[in-house]
Amino acid sequence: MAGWSTEQIMAAVPSMVDLATVSGTDLGRMADIISDTATALGVKAGEKITLGNGKVVDAMQHYTDSWAYAITNANLDTETLGLSMKYNGAAMHQAGLSQGDIFAANMIAANFGSKGSMSGTAFRSGMIRLQAPAKKGAQALEEMGLNASEAQKEMAAAGAAMAKLDIQGTSVMDKVIAIKRKFDENKAAGNSDANAAMINDIFGKNAFQTWASLMDNANLEQMQKWAAEMNSGEIEGWTADTAGVMRESANVQFELLKSAIDACAESLGHIFLPAAVTAFQTLASGASAVNEWIQNNQTAVQWLGLLAAALSAAIVGFAGLGVASAAFSVISSGAAVAGGAIT
């Protein structure tokens, strides 16, 4: 969250914690991704924004709600969405797309396998090519990491291709819808070559695969529905609500784990307890039999005690003789040495 003030960080922390829970991402990593991508879209923590329907919401909360909505409704995770937004977020924002439009476009692309740097670069170049050169100055293009003269050439070529195909629209999204409509007409007529040429002319060969897949597979009605729900604020509270469900689910799973352990212990008890009882009963029966024999054979027990004592004494005696013998040997050796010395 480098570059953020203390106040901005404190304002963003609650939504960051909830979003980290939803995404299963480390909080520090989550904060880095969100702060970087939010800045590209002009989102500032602690500020209020007014949505298209006049609803006033917290800017960062709305952004994290949109993020949580995206990763729970599309084939996306935080890392891949973060990479996509790193490349295309600023370009799509500069092209006039709303926050909901940007998230929805990345969601729909991800659902047919185009995500991360693939959709990121394709959408970035696509946004540039769909705009008329006069609508973007060199400074705005450079802010997106693009060379102004090269971008203007691309836009001019795309503009010529769209004019030739009579594709019109006042906004980038209008043009995308018009291209999709033309693509569907060609597809229905079995004219795949015309579609390939159109996509190549408008979006260029580097972005061809993503845009061709988008036009061929994407459900634009679904994309517009997602965008509308985010733009209208219908998803407000999505992050906190989803995080709450997940935390509750975690608690439930923990309780289920404890129950499973208890059930396992009970099952093991049912299996081993009868055997343990039988073993203890056998030991107890054996001990009783030994005690009864001792009571009935006290004289024999006394003789056994005397015999054990005698054997112990004999063992000690033999050990003593061994020690004495060893000592005698040592003394004899010493005497022999002494005698030799005198001689």
Side-chain angles (χ1 to χ4, degrees), residues 15-190:
S15 56
M16 292 287 189
V17 171
D18 285 340
L19 188 55
T21 300
V22 173
S23 66
T25 306
D26 174 79
L27 179 58
R29 177 62 181 152
M30 185 80 258
D32 285 341
I33 294 173
I34 292 300
S35 60
D36 291 345
T37 56
T39 300
L41 268 64
V43 177
K44 296 181 180 179
E47 291 189 355
K48 299 292 184 181
I49 59 172
T50 302
L51 301 179
N53 59 357
K55 187 176 182 178
V56 178
V57 297
D58 179 83
M60 182 53 64
Q61 185 63 61
H62 179 67
Y63 186 70
T64 56
D65 282 338
S66 297
W67 194 284
Y69 182 83
I71 63 176
T72 54
N73 283 280
N75 184 26
L76 280 168
D77 58 29
T78 285
E79 290 292 339
T80 52
L81 179 56
L83 189 56
S84 295
M85 299 282 277
K86 174 184 176 181
Y87 285 104
N88 65 35
M92 297 177 86
H93 176 63
Q94 292 286 344
L97 272 67
S98 68
Q99 183 173 298
D101 292 333
I102 296 171
F103 276 108
N106 281 293
M107 289 167 70
I108 208 74
N111 279 354
F112 58 78
S114 181
K115 48 190 171 181
S117 61
M118 185 178 182
S119 62
T121 54
F123 281 154
R124 182 178 66 178
S125 65
M127 293 302 102
I128 300 304
R129 295 174 73 93
L130 286 172
Q131 297 173 83
K135 293 186 178 180
K136 284 293 174 185
Q139 182 178 358
L141 293 169
E142 288 171 1
E143 287 176 357
M144 290 181 273
L146 299 169
N147 180 279
S149 60
E150 292 179 0
Q152 288 176 343
K153 289 179 182 178
E154 291 185 2
M155 289 186 290
M162 286 187 286
K164 182 179 178 181
L165 295 167
D166 195 28
I167 293 174
Q168 302 177 2
T170 57
S171 69
V172 166
M173 189 57 68
D174 288 340
K175 292 176 183 178
V176 170
I177 294 172
I179 295 169
K180 170 65 173 172
R181 188 180 300 115
K182 190 72 175 180
F183 188 97
D184 289 343
E185 290 175 1
N186 289 335
K187 185 176 180 180

